[in-house]
Amino acid sequence: MMQGMVMPILYFPSAFLSALSMLLIPEMAEANARGERAAIQKAAERAFRFTLFFSFLVTSVLIVFAGDFGMLFYGSSEVGNILRVMAPIVPLMYLDSVVDGMLKGLDQQLYSLKYNFSDSVMRVILIAVFIPFFGIRAYMVILFMSEIYNAALSINRLLKVTAVEVDVVGWIITPAVCAALLYYVLLLIKKIILFGI
């Protein structure tokens, strides 16, 4: 249910970001080859800002309509419940994907390989230990931990290589506030449609 139903819904909107990530690789590689640090920093900042803004909005949509998506695609309310729980990890999932693309463009793919490999090993061990005792709940917690671990390492490496300074307001607070506003607007629209109020 998680891998075959929930995860495809979570990942589907990232198709747009995957295209962005593919475009960033040659742009970053060219700027890196020329030693244009300012261009690299500008591209990285734009990628962070756009990815987080987009992913926070997607998170709001997924939380509000999780139950509807579960019923629409699979006729299952349980899928919707799991989707609602997993939606908050979307910003890290999407950002991790884009950051990996930028690291490849900066000739840092070996670090991405190390991070992804260690993440996979950790995930397999945790699944083998905890799934038999705690089931799907353990799996959801493991996915959260795994994504936080992988994204933290990748983001830290990119920030170190590019010397980009984190813009907390522009990258996190502003998208989060916009996402919160969208969440309440969507809830209101949903209530109006369903109950006519």
Side-chain angles (χ1 to χ4, degrees):
M1 185 180 294
M2 175 70 79
Q3 290 298 118
M5 299 180 180
V6 174
M7 297 308 286
I9 297 176
L10 287 177
Y11 275 112
F12 176 73
S14 70
F16 303 103
L17 293 177
S18 297
L20 170 67
S21 180
M22 291 298 102
L23 291 173
L24 281 172
I25 293 175
E27 182 181 344
M28 286 287 203
E30 184 178 352
N32 190 44
R34 293 179 178 178
E36 298 174 348
R37 183 164 293 274
I40 293 173
Q41 290 176 337
K42 186 176 180 181
E45 288 170 358
R46 274 184 323 192
F48 271 106
R49 189 174 292 108
F50 177 78
T51 302
L52 287 170
F53 189 80
F54 176 77
S55 59
F56 271 108
L57 296 183
V58 168
T59 300
S60 292
V61 172
L62 289 175
I63 291 173
V64 173
F65 297 107
D68 302 294
F69 289 147
M71 294 303 296
L72 175 66
F73 294 116
Y74 306 110
S76 170
S77 59
E78 190 174 353
V79 169
N81 293 334
I82 296 173
L83 181 61
R84 187 174 290 108
V85 172
M86 295 303 297
I89 202 67
V90 161
L92 273 181
M93 287 171 53
Y94 291 6
L95 186 60
D96 185 37
S97 174
V98 172
V99 166
D100 277 351
M102 288 191 284
L103 286 174
K104 290 174 186 173
L106 294 171
D107 199 26
Q108 299 290 312
Q109 59 269 23
L110 183 59
Y111 287 94
S112 290
L113 177 64
K114 289 178 182 178
Y115 302 153
N116 290 329
F117 179 74
S118 63
D119 175 41
S120 297
V121 171
M122 180 184 73
R123 191 181 298 190
V124 168
I125 292 171
L126 291 175
I127 286 173
V129 172
F130 292 106
I131 291 292
F133 300 102
F134 303 104
I136 188 70
R137 292 181 180 178
Y139 188 55
M140 289 191 286
V141 172
I142 290 168
L143 286 180
F144 267 89
M145 291 172 54
S146 168
E147 197 56 54
I148 291 169
Y149 168 79
N150 197 332
L153 290 176
S154 298
I155 292 167
N156 181 64
R157 184 63 191 172
L158 182 66
L159 293 176
K160 184 176 180 180
V161 170
T162 60
V164 170
E165 293 186 8
V166 177
D167 179 6
V168 176
V169 174
W171 296 358
I172 301 171
I173 295 177
T174 301
V177 170
C178 291
L181 291 173
L182 177 63
Y183 170 80
Y184 288 110
V185 168
L186 291 175
L187 273 184
L188 180 61
I189 292 172
K190 192 174 179 182
K191 286 183 179 180
I192 291 172
I193 292 173
L194 290 177
F195 303 110
I197 57 174

